[in-house]
Amino acid sequence: MTLEGGRDEVLLTACPRDCYDTCGISVIKRDGVVTAVRGNPAHPVNRGTLCGKCSTAYNREWRDPNRRLLQPLRRVSPKIEGRFEAVSWDTAIAEIAERLQRILASHGAPSILNAHYTGTVSLLAGMAPMRFFNRLGATEISPDTICNMAGHVALRYMYGTSVDGFDPRAAEKARCIVVWGANPHASAPHAHEHWLPEAPGKVVVIDPVRTPTAARADIHLQPFPGSDAALAFGLLHVIQRDGLMDEDFIAAHVLGWEELAASVAACSTEWASGMTGVPVALIEEVARLYARGPSLLWLGQGFQRQTNGGNVIRACALLPAVTGNLCKPGAGFLYLNANLRQRGVDEAYLTAPHLGPNAAPAISHMDLVEVLEDPSRSRSLIVWNMNPVASCPQQARLRRALQREDLLTIALDLFPTDTTALADYVLPAASFLEFDDLIASYFHLTLSSQTKVMDPIGASLPNQEIFRRLGRAMHFKEREFEETDADMLATLLARGGLGETFASLSAKGSIWVPVEPAVQFANRVFDTPSGRIEIASARAEADGLPRIPLCQSDPRPTSGNLRLLSPAHDWLLNTSFGNVGKIAKRLGAATIALHPLDAAERHLVAGQAAIVHNSCGSLELGVVICDDIPRGVALAHKGRWLATDPGHANVNVLNAGFKSDMGESSAVHSVEVLVQPKPIATRSSNVTFVQ
């Protein structure tokens, strides 16, 4: 579309950040040059606006050649010094391929590690590079272990899937929406702004922190971290006691309720209140409200990041099963809507798993440091779509491990990061504005075009093109390394059967798939061995886990410790945007939030410097005092870059890499810390005293 006498052109694209919203974007070009990146006014999710962080970044650093990586870099110093020289793509690709071939010959493909996550969630850039790693036979660092694998495993045991959720359009028929362990204000800002306030039903938020979303809800339950399973059983107790279970649904579609019934009956509301800190009256009110439905249950990522996170998800996922809040309009639960088949996307075509039928077993991000410290297990690390030095556990050990001179490290990114500083080769990746792609939202059932609106900055290339070139340099002859982006997009859309070409989709921006609101599990068939919802799971039992969800609560911290929460910040998205100047000013110095009584006990006042430490590490943070968190809890946001911190560390320096009960996933929200005033150094003559 052109405006103002043909000088201005508006192109539609979409945001590929790791966010529930997947916003529509209008890019304004004047005389062929991008002048503004804005929200698409016609998009049903964001309705013409972008969140502050994306708007700031996309109109500044993302299009600033002075901030972007412009060409391949090769290290010319010891890793600890981080000096590089520019080289051509031909040189970088040839040298990397030759060094990888030597590693294959000497140590085998499993010693080449593939670390990636969700720096972009567009389909080609986020998935097609796996063609290279499958063909290579590299060891994958299991992506979701850094985030949400415990919840995936738990829901697969019960429902057979973790990626088929309710259609958010079902909110129009829901009398109740429960948001448990998610913070839409930070991670789904337009759901916070539009979807929840406009829903006709009551909104319940369950979160230890009184977030802005919790503050706007009709009811906020504030359990102590680690007590979510106890709260779920308390709610179930009321539902069972008051005759609010859907007995017909249970008889027809649930396996194992009789094994759980006695435990639920024993978990009184008084017990649940004592375990969680949630008043009995609120437990009773929410249980009745949810059970009478129809109700939606949004299970977030945050509250399963604890040592019993899988059990927590299993316990909470009992609610729709016993109340029949499934298989009908206005009802269901959502962890992620990430079933790409549902939107006609052939994931296997993108990733080509057939190229690596004998691939090495994946390892957890929680084990990454241990593997990197062992030269017999790791000779190369290839990092793309993530910044592990800032986002992974055991930060101090990880940095030391990455300084190994015998570890070939290749990092792809748009910007110089904490991770690229320790690489041997740094390869400049193109931004989402610079190539065509597709995006499938993991909340809304949409499929969107990511449309190229400008040429790549410098010599940057899309992820998938970088790995295509590397595959050809390693003499991989399969057709997957010859297909162009246009080939792949055409094949994906043709196989999807949606009647769209990339050009037609790009003209629309986004489409609903399906067009009409979907009902979750409409056929009442579940992909479990029994075809039912398996409250009692023989598969879990065979894996050495409890057969049924347990009514339990983590012990409270002792010896002066506080339980540390490190959620997303409103102005960051994982570690994305940590290098954006205007955002850095908004963030200010790193802080830790404490309840007033916890601060008083530790002789801390607002603005004071505190030392936050445990056996894993230590961090200096400024004190913020607020009653938005319970006693016994400390809160320090994740996502800050180490290079911007005076101590060259962020909250992950305190994360020892504890694993959850399922999926070898992150239990970062089970970390405990001591918080103490920073000692004040004073001088007297030539002697320094520390008070």
Side-chain angles (χ1 to χ4, degrees):
M1 174 171 58
T2 58
L3 304 172
E4 295 183 14
R7 294 186 62 202
D8 281 7
E9 181 183 14
V10 180
L11 297 174
L12 301 182
T13 185
C15 180
R17 300 276 73 77
D18 184 6
C19 168
Y20 291 93
D21 287 338
T22 313
C23 293
I25 291 176
S26 296
V27 176
I28 314 301
K29 297 181 73 173
R30 171 163 290 196
D31 298 329
V33 177
V34 173
T35 59
V37 179
R38 299 172 179 162
N40 176 3
H43 198 274
V45 174
N46 58 305
R47 306 178 192 179
T49 62
L50 295 178
C51 68
K53 53 198 168 193
C54 287
S55 179
T56 301
Y58 298 162
N59 286 293
R60 290 173 175 79
E61 276 77 359
W62 252 247
R63 295 189 283 117
D64 184 351
N66 295 314
R67 301 297 299 274
R68 291 275 298 276
L69 289 167
L70 300 179
Q71 58 192 112
L73 303 175
R74 177 175 61 196
R75 183 170 62 86
V76 294
S77 71
K79 287 189 177 180
I80 197 169
E81 295 179 12
R83 289 186 285 112
F84 297 87
E85 65 179 0
V87 296
S88 69
W89 272 111
D90 287 346
T91 297
I93 292 292
E95 290 183 2
I96 292 169
E98 191 272 334
R99 293 184 67 175
L100 289 176
Q101 294 281 21
R102 292 207 310 259
I103 291 171
L104 288 173
S106 62
H107 289 79
S111 70
I112 301 171
L113 308 182
N114 161 29
H116 64 107
Y117 201 43
T118 52
T120 178
V121 297
S122 63
L123 298 184
L124 300 191
M127 301 181 73
M130 288 304 299
R131 293 176 167 192
F132 173 80
F133 291 104
N134 285 328
R135 174 63 176 80
L136 187 66
T139 298
E140 184 177 32
I141 315 303
S142 182
D144 283 333
T145 58
I146 197 68
C147 179
N148 57 15
M149 184 60 84
H152 283 303
V153 173
L155 290 169
R156 289 170 195 157
Y157 285 141
M158 288 186 67
Y159 288 91
T161 178
S162 58
V163 295
D164 289 306
F166 64 68
D167 186 336
R169 290 174 289 180
E172 65 183 18
K173 296 185 182 298
R175 294 179 184 172
C176 172
I177 300 176
V178 176
V179 181
W180 200 327
N183 177 13
H185 182 259
S187 57
H190 297 290
H192 166 82
E193 182 181 6
H194 302 303
W195 184 71
L196 283 169
E198 294 172 6
K202 294 273 191 180
V203 174
V204 178
V205 171
I206 303 177
D207 197 310
V209 182
R210 190 164 179 80
T211 65
T213 301
R216 284 174 54 168
D218 296 293
I219 303 172
H220 176 208
L221 305 188
Q222 199 168 11
F224 192 86
S227 69
D228 300 274
L231 178 57
F233 272 81
L235 296 169
L236 289 163
H237 176 88
V238 176
I239 292 166
Q240 180 193 51
R241 182 198 68 197
D242 293 359
L244 297 174
M245 297 194 308
D246 188 329
E247 302 284 359
D248 292 339
F249 185 88
I250 293 170
H253 303 294
V254 176
L255 180 69
W257 165 250
E258 66 283 355
E259 297 183 40
L260 194 71
S263 294
V264 171
C267 292
S268 69
T269 52
E270 290 75 17
W271 174 86
S273 179
M275 291 292 101
T276 64
V278 176
V280 168
L282 287 180
I283 295 174
E284 302 257 0
E285 181 181 3
V286 169
R288 296 188 189 104
L289 179 64
Y290 175 83
R292 288 168 180 155
S295 297
L296 301 176
L297 174 61
W298 180 354
L299 297 170
Q301 316 292 298
F303 77 133
Q304 53 85 62
R305 294 179 191 142
Q306 47 190 319
T307 51
N308 291 304
N311 183 69
V312 163
I313 291 289
R314 286 178 83 187
C316 296
L318 292 167
L319 289 165
V322 303
T323 60
N325 269 302
L326 281 172
C327 313
K328 59 187 179 184
F333 70 87
L334 182 145
Y335 190 55
L336 289 176
N337 268 327
N339 182 350
L340 296 181
R341 294 192 309 273
Q342 189 179 37
R343 274 164 279 184
V345 175
D346 186 343
E347 182 175 346
Y349 165 72
L350 277 171
T351 61
H354 65 276
L355 296 178
N358 301 311
I363 64 172
S364 170
H365 272 288
M366 304 306 103
D367 295 324
L368 175 59
V369 168
E370 179 183 343
V371 174
L372 287 176
E373 290 174 335
D374 184 350
S376 69
R377 299 178 67 187
S378 57
R379 305 301 296 184
S380 178
L381 173 68
I382 304 177
V383 178
W384 54 287
N385 269 9
M386 73 178 305
N387 179 8
V389 172
S391 60
C392 284
Q394 303 185 78
Q395 190 172 87
R397 283 179 63 190
L398 178 60
R399 293 179 73 183
R400 289 193 296 270
L402 288 174
Q403 290 170 11
R404 277 178 46 201
E405 295 295 337
D406 63 343
L407 179 73
L408 171 64
T409 302
I410 299 119
L412 284 64
D413 214 297
L414 277 69
F415 305 100
T417 70
D418 300 312
T419 300
T420 66
L422 295 169
D424 294 281
Y425 292 89
V426 180
L427 305 180
S431 85
F432 78 102
L433 297 170
E434 297 157 17
F435 62 96
D436 291 336
D437 209 331
L438 296 170
I439 308 169
S441 169
Y442 58 70
F443 187 67
H444 300 280
L445 297 181
T446 57
L447 184 68
S448 303
S449 63
Q450 176 187 293
T451 303
K452 178 180 177 180
V453 298
M454 57 186 284
D455 290 331
I457 290 181
S460 60
L461 294 171
N463 292 346
Q464 63 274 18
E465 173 61 17
I466 294 172
F467 287 109
R468 268 198 300 263
R469 293 188 182 191
L470 192 53
R472 291 196 293 266
M474 295 188 71
H475 310 295
F476 296 165
K477 301 299 185 182
E478 292 82 359
R479 64 173 178 82
E480 284 82 1
F481 300 98
E482 299 300 329
E483 286 184 303
T484 66
D485 285 6
D487 293 336
M488 286 192 285
L489 292 170
T491 299
L492 282 171
L493 288 167
R495 291 187 179 187
L498 302 177
E500 298 284 352
T501 64
F502 188 79
S504 68
L505 181 59
S506 185
K508 298 172 184 175
S510 299
I511 58 173
W512 293 106
V513 185
V515 175
E516 297 299 322
V519 173
Q520 186 184 21
F521 303 122
N523 60 3
R524 302 196 172 205
V525 174
F526 304 90
D527 191 16
T528 60
S530 66
R532 296 181 171 213
I533 301 166
E534 296 192 352
I535 288 177
S537 172
R539 289 184 299 167
E541 190 174 37
D543 291 338
L545 295 164
R547 179 176 169 83
I548 58 176
L550 300 180
C551 179
Q552 63 183 20
S553 181
D554 291 353
R556 298 292 177 97
T558 58
S559 304
N561 285 352
L562 298 173
R563 185 141 172 168
L564 179 67
L565 300 182
S566 50
H569 194 284
D570 300 351
W571 282 92
L572 296 173
L573 206 163
N574 300 322
T575 64
S576 293
F577 311 131
N579 66 320
V580 177
K582 189 173 180 180
I583 289 176
K585 290 180 180 178
R586 284 184 173 272
L587 292 175
T591 62
I592 188 160
L594 305 174
H595 188 278
L597 295 178
D598 287 325
E601 283 182 355
R602 290 157 179 78
H603 308 291
L604 291 164
V605 297
Q608 182 178 356
I611 301 299
V612 184
H613 62 101
N614 57 21
S615 60
C616 187
S618 178
L619 195 61
E620 181 179 328
L621 299 171
V623 174
V624 172
I625 298 175
C626 69
D627 57 6
D628 288 338
I629 56 177
R631 286 210 67 187
V633 173
L635 187 150
H637 292 102
K638 67 176 180 177
R640 301 177 73 98
W641 286 25
L642 280 59
T644 63
D645 184 87
H648 300 287
N650 67 17
V651 71
N652 274 316
V653 79
L654 304 166
N655 178 5
F658 300 137
K659 290 182 181 179
S660 59
D661 53 347
M662 298 180 191
E664 297 192 312
S665 195
S666 173
V668 63
H669 290 161
S670 289
V671 168
E672 294 185 8
V673 294
L674 287 167
V675 184
Q676 298 170 324
K678 179 184 177 182
I680 301 172
T682 61
R683 289 187 177 273
S684 176
S685 301
N686 295 321
V687 181
T688 299
F689 298 92
V690 177
Q691 298 178 344

